[in-house]
Amino acid sequence: MIGFVRNVQLWFAPRDVDAEGTTPDYRFSLANERTFLAWLRTALALIGGGFAVDQFLPDLQWGWRVGLALALLAAGVLCSLRAVNHWVRCEMAMRKGEDLPVSRFPAVLSIVVAIVAVAMVVVVFAGWEG
């Protein structure tokens, strides 16, 4: 927990990240940044999908619509927070010459998206009225 709090502090203090270890090859830092931006694009897509479900499926039963929209919105929020946390962890690992951190988050996110997709398929096959 203390490590996570330290990482959150580093989100807003990039100079503290620069103070750790030695500067890695810029190509690796830029690749880390591109990965961060890809995660943010994924988060934006999930958030957009959540709003789309809520706004463009008014005939869908209220519980289904809100449940699916909230699942997508929550996944987007978690994805955006995880993006910055992973960026900091990778940057720190590169600066310290350590192995890059591993995470179960991509698998969890994939499962959540798959569950929402299966729910949408069920809704489509069952019809819009609930």
Side-chain angles (χ1 to χ4, degrees):
M1 184 64 173
I2 293 172
F4 177 74
V5 172
R6 173 74 176 133
N7 283 345
V8 170
Q9 291 172 340
L10 291 174
W11 295 359
F12 304 102
R15 296 221 187 272
D16 291 348
V17 173
D18 288 345
E20 293 284 333
T22 59
T23 302
D25 185 333
Y26 288 103
R27 294 174 291 179
F28 299 126
S29 289
L30 293 173
N32 190 28
E33 187 174 333
R34 283 190 302 274
T35 302
F36 166 72
L37 293 172
W39 278 103
L40 284 184
R41 285 190 301 272
T42 301
L44 287 170
L46 289 165
I47 292 167
F51 280 116
V53 166
D54 185 52
Q55 294 297 309
F56 298 118
L57 299 176
D59 295 334
L60 187 61
Q61 186 180 18
W62 182 84
W64 277 101
R65 191 178 79 235
V66 170
L68 293 171
L70 288 177
L72 289 168
L73 290 168
V77 168
L78 289 174
C79 191
S80 65
L81 294 174
R82 182 65 181 124
V84 69
N85 190 51
H86 189 70
W87 175 82
V88 166
R89 290 174 60 214
C90 286
E91 193 66 27
M92 294 297 286
M94 288 188 299
R95 296 186 77 76
K96 294 177 180 179
E98 299 172 352
D99 289 339
L100 294 179
V102 295
S103 173
R104 291 185 187 106
F105 184 76
V108 172
L109 181 63
S110 297
I111 290 168
V112 168
V113 170
I115 289 170
V116 170
V118 168
M120 290 297 294
V121 168
V122 168
V123 167
V124 167
F125 279 119
W128 295 115
E129 292 86 33

